[in-house]
Amino acid sequence: MPLLNNNILTLMALVATLPALAQTATPPSTTPANEQVIVPQVDRRDIQLPRYASNDFSVSLFAGTYATPNFGSSAVTGLRLGYHITEDIFVEGSYGKSKVSDKAFAQIFPNGGVLPAREVDLTYYNVMAGYNVLPGEVFFGRNNAKISQGYIVAGVGSTTFGVQKRQTVVAGFGLRVIFNRWFSVQADVRDHIYSLDILGKLQSTQNLEISAGISVFF
């Protein structure tokens, strides 16, 4: 009996200390679940973000050099009209004009050159499809970014060399930098492939054109 009484007294003492333990317990956190505990002190830079041109049509003027096998290189100028179907896909029509000289042959053959005249006009037109394969950005300084587009093109058309008119296949690549919604500059390398009968034999020729130009979107 004395042992039972001691156990009862001990239990009653533990029950009496429970309210005091509850008051000294650590209160729950009052910080809301969605409140940021650590606020980073970072100074953010203001960067002018580039924007794609919102207009779908473009007009381009270009100039460069046109290399014709056996006749050397000559200046070429032209016009391109484009329609941008999406940000990556576009189509365009091109017209170019150059002059080809046979003065090198005139120095070899005693009767003169192989062309009807010392210089003949070379003109072409073609329809091209293009795809932007390398979209990116070009930075001018730290805070000014402009859009750049590396693209490939391919198409068909017609080339008039003197009195000969030949079907032409064209393929190439280029790089465009868009400065704002209505203006861009670009550089192109294109290969015009067609057949010519100049020296008495029909031969396939590859005529490399390197040009640079400006475009206006509308």
Side-chain angles (χ1 to χ4, degrees), residues 17-39:
T17 59
L18 289 178
L21 293 174
Q23 292 179 359
T24 58
T26 303
S29 175
T30 58
T31 303
N34 58 351
E35 183 177 346
Q36 188 173 358
V37 178
I38 300 175
V39 180

Side-chain angles (χ1 to χ4, degrees), residues 6-197:
N6 290 335
N7 291 336
I8 293 174
L9 292 175
T10 302
L11 181 61
M12 293 177 61
L14 291 175
V15 172
T17 59
L18 289 178
L21 293 174
Q23 292 179 359
T24 58
T26 303
S29 175
T30 58
T31 303
N34 58 351
E35 183 177 346
Q36 188 173 358
V37 178
I38 300 175
V39 180
Q41 301 296 324
V42 178
D43 294 332
R44 299 186 181 275
R45 291 188 300 152
D46 293 331
I47 298 178
Q48 183 179 354
L49 297 177
R51 294 182 294 179
Y52 282 92
S54 59
N55 302 316
D56 298 329
F57 294 92
S58 65
V59 177
S60 304
L61 297 175
F62 68 90
T65 180
Y66 189 101
T68 305
N70 302 320
F71 297 98
S73 301
S74 55
V76 62
T77 57
L79 173 71
R80 297 185 181 121
L81 300 177
Y83 175 67
H84 297 259
I85 302 173
T86 67
E87 291 182 353
D88 294 326
I89 302 174
F90 62 93
V91 294
E92 70 174 27
S94 300
Y95 173 81
K97 184 175 182 179
S98 179
K99 281 188 176 294
V100 179
S101 173
D102 69 346
K103 61 181 180 181
F105 288 95
Q107 297 174 356
I108 299 175
F109 297 108
N111 296 328
V114 296
L115 298 177
R118 182 58 55 87
E119 288 187 345
V120 297
D121 290 333
L122 184 148
T123 59
Y124 68 80
Y125 65 87
N126 49 59
V127 179
M128 312 282 289
Y131 183 75
N132 297 322
V133 295
L134 294 174
E137 294 179 351
V138 175
F139 283 86
F140 296 89
R142 297 180 59 186
N143 301 325
N144 193 6
K146 301 300 180 183
I147 292 171
S148 65
Q149 297 174 333
Y151 53 86
I152 56 175
V153 292
V156 295
S158 178
T159 300
T160 301
F161 189 106
V163 297
Q164 301 187 47
K165 190 173 184 178
R166 301 298 183 183
Q167 184 177 355
T168 306
V169 176
V170 187
F173 59 91
L175 176 66
R176 180 187 298 113
V177 178
I178 301 177
F179 285 88
N180 52 43
R181 290 182 177 271
W182 61 272
F183 177 76
S184 70
V185 298
Q186 63 273 339
D188 290 90
V189 177
R190 302 189 179 188
D191 188 12
H192 300 252
I193 304 172
Y194 52 88
S195 298
L196 281 179
D197 182 6

